[in-house]
Amino acid sequence: MAPALTQDDWELLRSTAVEAMGRAYAPYSNFPVGVAGLADDGRLLSGCNVENASYAVGLCAECGLVSDPGAHRRWSPGRRLVRRLPRGDAHAVRPLPADPLGARRRAVPHPDTGGRALARRDPAAGLRGGRPDQGSTMTEQHDVVDIIRTKRDRGVLADDQIDWVIDAYTRGVVADEQMSALAMAILINGMTRPEIARWTAAMIASGERMDFSGPARPTSDKHSTGGVGDKITLPLAPLVAVFGIAVPQLSGRGLGHTGGTPDKLESIPGWRADLSNAQMLAQLDDVGAVICAAGAGLAPADKKLYALRDVTGTVEAIPLIASSIMSKKIAEGTGALVLDVKVGSGAFMKTREDATELARTMVDLGTDAGVNTVALITDMSVPLGLTAGNALEVRESVEVLAGGGPQDVVDLTVALADEMTRAAGKTVGPDELRAALADGRAMDVWRRMISAQGGDPDAPLPTAAETQTVVADAAGHLEHLDAMAVGMAARRPGAGRARKEDPVRAGAGVELHARPGDKVTKGQPLMTLHTDTPERFARARESLVGGWRIAPQAPARGPVVLDRITAREA
């Protein structure tokens, strides 16, 4: 007899099936189906339907499910599938009266219904004419090529065009190459404020909305637009939780030359990024802080587009950055949000003007949605701290939580914590926040937070098999150290991704031995490159050419926080 599954198990199956549905190829029926299954050894499997012009040779989602173990060589002899669950609707599995694939229909037990049901997404949502007759081919409301042309020619997209293209891309009707073309047109020609607001709303509507009103503590969240060595979330979340504030930190994977918080934390043995909604809420109640990957049900359109932007040169598009961040943060349901908008060579925003535009756009989106939102514009012309790379940054974060660490990391952590506590209605102040780092209170929350997600806070962190030192070519003061150069030197040895499918290497990265303003001698180590694949050293060193400058005089050091953007006066 199959073992009974908990509600958390079912939620994980649901979210996995939703993610699988996003990979479906269903241009003929327009009925994408996702299915998830659990093997008796605890492994989670998934599949989606793949149609052919001849229905008879298409593959149903369950075929993909049973192929999954073999495709990934992870099926153990004698193992069997104990539970499977198709999932398509963003909120609840429901019985449907008909299956467009006819003979491929499958009936699956579900604990909420007590019966048997096939779950799939309603493809008629947002389309004229409602649900098509069973077995017919659906007529789409718009032609994606027309939408691409409109934005290519600097036109303004109508609300129904935006609603449709986001929905159709999520369903697989709009192909990656078509959305890539639209994203590039948006990057080049921009969007109006109403367009961005509608695009964000459509992204939110593609999935579920979370509710953090359950925890007794007020909630406050932070999001960074990404930078080099930006490990601030790691010490920040436990620090804010010390003061009775729940911090639901849903973070994304590495994008471009920037690192992803889940990628960093996965270098801790046992730590897991994927939690169900129920597990997140329970951890917020118990620990006060959770850092995890956004679930597949939260703005699934953004999950597809986020990965696509990374490999198509459209990461820097302000409308897409703003809608990506704010769709998830608004859907997440936090009460307050502090944005860290970075500017400089190592940021996606290179100029103060662009950073201010992005910050203003996001603050307006959050405020209009009822979220108490504020943004800090912070310097990213120089890497944050002394490390760039997953395990290296975790180690440095632990140093900050132990009362030490680089001063710029401590200063920015405290500045953001001050904003988060104030936004949540707490009066704490920078002095008390620094004291919580120095006396171990924040470290105590960190250890509980890591342990709650299966991690061992005492386990040794991974180290790279090979290192190579870069030395100063002259004596003087390090006048400049380019953040982008360091970021690429970390990415190329394996700390980041060149393609969305690429894994990251936990021990890869760059360790700095000097910062701008420091006095150096000729031949002194400036940085150490870390990698498991020494053949990548040459490419990493190429990215550092022209990336630093040594001068006779020490440069003046500017502040980390450059500006503060708040909601407009009513």
Side-chain angles (χ1 to χ4, degrees):
M1 178 177 292
L5 299 186
T6 67
Q7 188 60 36
D8 285 347
D9 292 329
W10 286 110
E11 288 188 14
L12 182 58
L13 284 168
R14 287 190 191 97
S15 64
T16 303
V18 167
E19 182 178 8
M21 185 186 70
R23 301 192 298 269
Y25 179 73
Y28 304 103
S29 71
N30 289 310
F31 281 84
V33 179
V35 62
L38 186 65
D40 61 359
D41 62 356
R43 296 182 184 183
L44 195 63
L45 313 173
S46 64
C48 61
N49 59 324
V50 179
E51 294 181 355
N52 190 282
S54 170
Y55 273 178
V57 295
L59 295 177
C60 64
E62 288 80 2
C63 292
L65 174 74
V66 298
S67 302
D68 188 20
H72 296 280
R73 297 184 179 181
R74 58 185 184 184
W75 194 249
S76 303
R79 295 303 184 190
R80 60 194 181 91
L81 188 69
V82 296
R83 288 286 189 272
R84 59 189 172 95
L85 175 69
R87 165 75 157 82
D89 181 75
H91 300 288
V93 176
R94 65 190 190 279
L96 297 177
D99 178 356
L101 298 185
R104 299 189 184 280
R105 182 170 183 170
R106 298 291 186 272
V108 180
H110 185 267
D112 293 344
T113 63
R116 303 176 75 79
L118 177 71
R120 50 176 168 71
R121 191 176 187 279
D122 182 357
L127 302 181
R128 291 184 185 137
R131 181 189 298 274
D133 293 335
Q134 180 180 351
S136 67
T137 300
M138 180 179 296
T139 300
E140 295 291 338
Q141 182 180 1
H142 292 284
D143 182 344
V144 66
V145 177
D146 290 339
I147 292 175
I148 294 169
R149 288 195 185 109
T150 297
K151 186 49 63 178
R152 180 199 66 187
D153 297 337
R154 301 182 180 178
V156 175
L157 299 180
D159 287 352
D160 60 331
Q161 288 180 307
I162 292 172
D163 293 345
W164 177 84
V165 78
I166 294 297
D167 177 71
Y169 181 55
T170 307
R171 290 187 284 121
V173 173
V174 172
D176 277 349
E177 57 268 28
Q178 293 170 318
M179 185 56 85
S180 298
L182 180 57
M184 185 61 73
I186 291 171
L187 170 68
I188 295 170
N189 296 321
M191 290 179 117
T192 65
R193 181 176 174 181
E195 280 182 296
I196 298 171
R198 189 69 178 207
W199 188 280
T200 304
M203 301 271 269
I204 295 170
S206 72
E208 62 187 1
R209 294 189 70 149
M210 299 179 66
D211 181 7
F212 287 121
S213 60
R217 319 177 194 203
T219 56
S220 190
D221 194 8
K222 164 261 181 185
H223 184 88
S224 168
T225 56
V228 179
D230 183 11
K231 71 279 296 177
I232 301 298
T233 294
L234 279 63
L236 178 64
L239 174 60
V240 173
V242 166
F243 298 95
I245 298 168
V247 184
Q249 183 68 57
L250 306 185
S251 301
R253 298 287 176 179
L255 191 63
H257 64 281
T258 68
T261 302
D263 297 323
K264 296 169 189 177
L265 286 171
E266 282 176 342
S267 63
I268 299 174
W271 188 89
R272 57 195 178 94
D274 296 322
L275 300 180
S276 69
N277 292 353
Q279 289 170 327
M280 290 172 55
L281 288 169
Q283 186 167 324
L284 283 176
D285 274 332
D286 180 34
V287 179
V290 59
I291 302 174
C292 61
L298 199 70
D302 177 67
K303 187 168 186 177
K304 291 186 69 176
L305 186 54
Y306 186 91
L308 188 70
R309 286 164 51 213
D310 191 19
V311 295
T312 57
T314 55
V315 167
E316 296 86 351
I318 289 177
L320 299 183
I321 295 174
S323 61
S324 173
I325 293 170
M326 297 308 295
S327 63
K328 290 177 289 191
K329 292 303 177 182
I330 294 169
E332 174 190 310
T334 186
L337 175 62
V338 177
L339 298 163
D340 180 1
V341 180
K342 299 194 176 298
V343 60
S345 68
F348 295 121
M349 300 296 102
K350 307 300 183 185
T351 68
R352 284 282 293 273
E353 180 182 8
D354 285 347
T356 300
E357 179 186 348
L358 176 59
R360 170 54 60 200
T361 300
M362 293 194 293
V363 168
D364 287 344
L365 286 170
T367 301
D368 291 346
V371 180
N372 185 4
T373 308
V374 64
L376 297 183
I377 297 178
T378 65
D379 181 41
M380 186 36 69
S381 57
V382 176
L384 264 171
L386 296 171
T387 58
N390 300 300
L392 292 170
E393 292 187 46
V394 173
R395 186 193 69 194
E396 188 169 88
S397 299
V398 172
E399 292 173 1
V400 173
L401 288 160
Q407 193 61 49
D408 60 338
V409 176
V410 175
D411 288 346
L412 185 52
T413 299
V414 170
L416 290 166
D418 188 35
E419 294 288 348
M420 290 176 68
T421 52
R422 280 194 284 162
K426 299 276 187 175
T427 303
V428 180
D431 291 343
E432 184 61 19
L433 290 164
R434 291 180 188 276
L437 289 173
D439 63 20
R441 282 178 287 168
M443 177 68 86
D444 289 343
V445 178
W446 162 266
R447 294 179 62 83
R448 293 177 61 206
M449 181 181 72
I450 297 302
S451 297
Q453 292 174 239
D456 181 355
D458 296 316
L461 293 168
T463 57
E466 304 286 342
T467 61
Q468 194 172 99
T469 302
V470 177
V471 301
D473 54 359
H477 290 82
L478 185 60
E479 182 184 49
H480 176 64
L481 180 62
D482 185 71
M484 176 61 84
V486 174
M488 293 305 296
R491 171 181 165 173
R492 286 177 171 175
R497 295 178 173 86
R499 301 176 304 162
K500 61 185 178 181
E501 305 86 10
D502 290 346
V504 296
R505 298 178 183 271
V510 177
E511 184 178 10
L512 303 176
H513 305 300
R515 291 183 56 79
D518 290 351
K519 187 175 182 179
V520 298
T521 59
K522 186 175 181 179
Q524 174 184 328
L526 291 181
M527 64 190 76
T528 300
L529 308 178
H530 297 248
T531 188
D532 293 325
T533 50
E535 62 272 17
R536 299 190 182 194
F537 279 137
R539 291 293 313 282
R541 294 184 75 106
E542 284 176 11
S543 66
L544 291 169
V545 174
W548 77 81
R549 188 166 56 248
I550 296 173
Q553 301 297 321
R557 295 191 182 186
V560 177
V561 178
L562 304 175
D563 202 357
R564 184 173 184 265
I565 307 296
T566 59
R568 302 175 196 263
E569 295 292 335

